[in-house]
Amino acid sequence: MGTALHQLKVIEMAGLGPAPLAGQLLADLGAEVIVIDRTSTPADPTDINRRHKRSIALDLKNPAGLAIAQQLIAAADVVIEGFRPGVMEKLGLGPEACLSHNPKLIYGRMTGWGQTGPLAQTAGHDLNYLALTGALYPLGVAGQPPMPPLNLVADYGGGTMFLLLGILAALYERDRSGQGQVIDAAMVDGVPAMMGLLHTWLARQWWTIEREANFLDGGAPFYRCYATADNKYLAVAPLEPHFFKELLTKAALPSEHYSSQYQKANWPERSQYYAEIFRQKTQAEWLSLFEGSDACVAPVLDFNEVEAHPHNAARGNFVRVNEVLQAAPAPRLSRTPAKAPIAPTGAGEDTASILAELAYSPEQIAALRALGALT
């Protein structure tokens, strides 16, 4: 039984954040991912984004090192790079140069601001991209500065996932046209693309720009987190009336709240009241009451608790490789499942074997090292 992306050849330019995760997810599903690193380093078992990847360390400013990179890209299906616009062109590895040697190449470019626009050449991070798209403003407590949602939304949601969507769409189209193309994956494009429902609600005037005054931003007493007696937390989210009714029953909350669930005028007072109720029992006691129900209540787990939760354990959502906790591959394919995670190799560790596959002799590899092309 093969993997879904068996024989797909991907070259990943070493970087940080969304591009390495894209390469990891492709590698999990069976793609052959080779990272072009700047220098060799020992294997780091905690560098999860390197699992299933191979690495070659090259000095791209050395003509011989650049030639090897060009040779690898000429034989690849996909290139992934996450530099500022123009960096790859300065190296001699821009899309035009690479596609001239490999017209079927899918060239994936991952940036925050995009390849064009007034901000394209400026620095930025996840929080900045969220800020510009409007996605950051609703997050956090009313009257306080917005709260960063880690780097999950722009880097990985609007970045990695849209880069992967572009790559797989371009590969599908290449099967018909025989031609490659360039993917401009920008986080400031991807984040708004995920906000269709919010834009719908804004258009219907179902959403206000006030923080903690809407269905999904903590304003609703039936969609927020509550502290328990043992200073743990519950995520309470019965949006639909029939689920909300079950919450009222299980938590012994007033049944008359059912008919006025969506009356916003009641929300602040009810949020305070519900908070007092949930403070009366421990998290475990509440979970026992809600077990098996459709009240949409879940424990808020910290990183040390997720592995042992019965549902996560039953599905094998988390695995350990050399005692390093990490996510199991996702999504799950029925006929061509992903590979089981393995420990990552070090940067440059596969240099000799990759060059041997390109028909370099041991003597030629030694000469390249002497020239400083291999780092």
Side-chain angles (χ1 to χ4, degrees):
M1 184 181 297
T3 51
L5 299 182
H6 177 62
Q7 295 186 332
L8 183 72
K9 296 182 181 296
V10 179
I11 301 300
E12 176 190 319
M13 307 303 295
L16 298 172
L21 176 59
Q24 179 218 307
L25 296 176
L26 292 172
D28 284 349
L29 292 173
E32 178 189 350
V33 179
I34 294 176
V35 182
I36 296 180
D37 279 296
R38 296 174 180 84
T39 187
S40 297
T41 59
D44 179 357
T46 69
D47 195 351
I48 294 164
N49 286 159
R50 279 189 174 269
R51 70 186 191 193
H52 295 304
K53 297 178 184 178
R54 303 169 73 200
S55 169
I56 184 170
L58 301 172
D59 180 358
L60 297 178
K61 295 182 179 180
N62 184 305
L66 177 61
I68 294 168
Q70 291 170 330
Q71 191 174 356
L72 287 168
I73 292 171
D77 296 294
V78 177
V79 166
I80 294 174
E81 63 98 353
F83 303 132
R84 290 195 203 191
V87 170
M88 289 290 280
E89 285 82 352
K90 289 179 182 178
L91 291 171
L93 297 173
E96 185 175 348
C98 291
L99 283 161
S100 69
H101 296 291
N102 182 0
K104 292 186 175 183
L105 181 68
I106 308 302
Y107 197 107
R109 316 198 80 171
M110 179 74 262
T111 61
W113 303 118
Q115 297 298 313
T116 59
L119 296 175
Q121 289 296 333
T122 63
H125 285 294
D126 184 286
L127 196 64
N128 306 120
Y129 313 133
L130 282 184
L132 203 72
T133 60
L136 180 61
Y137 189 87
L139 305 180
V141 178
Q144 298 292 323
M147 181 65 67
L150 303 181
N151 69 328
L152 299 178
V153 181
D155 274 356
Y156 299 130
T160 297
M161 299 309 161
F162 281 87
L163 175 61
L164 291 174
L165 175 63
I167 289 171
L168 297 178
L171 287 169
Y172 178 78
E173 191 278 337
R174 189 181 71 175
D175 285 343
R176 301 190 301 280
S177 69
Q179 299 180 47
Q181 58 183 305
V182 181
I183 300 159
D184 177 2
M187 297 174 211
V188 293
D189 297 348
V191 171
M194 297 190 294
M195 295 170 65
L197 182 61
L198 291 179
H199 290 151
T200 294
W201 288 350
L202 283 166
R204 295 176 179 175
Q205 298 184 340
W206 293 357
W207 188 278
T208 73
I209 63 170
E210 297 175 25
R211 200 173 300 126
E212 284 195 305
N214 300 282
F215 302 125
L216 305 181
D217 64 358
F222 49 85
Y223 198 89
R224 53 170 294 177
C225 295
Y226 291 101
T228 57
D230 51 348
N231 293 318
K232 295 186 177 183
Y233 302 95
L234 295 172
V236 177
L239 284 169
E240 296 84 353
H242 53 292
F243 296 153
F244 180 58
K245 188 174 185 179
E246 188 149 0
L247 173 75
L248 298 178
T249 301
K250 293 288 184 179
L253 293 167
S255 59
E256 59 267 23
H257 288 186
Y258 173 75
S259 60
S260 54
Q261 178 182 3
Y262 283 95
Q263 292 180 8
K264 288 189 176 183
N266 298 318
W267 287 1
E269 180 183 351
R270 289 184 183 177
S271 292
Q272 184 176 351
Y273 175 62
Y274 290 6
E276 294 171 357
I277 296 298
F278 283 113
R279 267 290 192 185
Q280 295 175 7
K281 291 182 174 63
T282 65
Q283 185 191 70
E285 289 171 333
W286 282 116
L287 294 176
S288 178
L289 282 172
F290 289 117
E291 186 175 2
S293 77
D294 284 336
C296 302
V297 176
V300 178
L301 304 178
D302 64 34
F303 292 141
N304 295 319
E305 297 173 311
V306 293
E307 184 182 16
H309 187 275
H311 187 80
N312 290 334
R315 289 186 60 80
N317 285 347
F318 296 91
V319 297
R320 287 185 180 268
V321 181
N322 292 345
E323 291 306 309
V324 177
L325 181 69
Q326 55 199 275
R332 303 175 188 217
L333 280 64
S334 64
R335 188 170 50 81
T336 55
K339 297 185 289 187
I342 60 173
T345 60
E349 187 171 321
D350 308 290
T351 296
S353 62
I354 291 169
L355 289 174
E357 292 166 8
L358 293 175
Y360 284 79
S361 68
E363 293 76 19
Q364 288 173 313
I365 294 173
L368 287 168
R369 293 195 187 279
L371 282 172
L374 309 182
T375 56

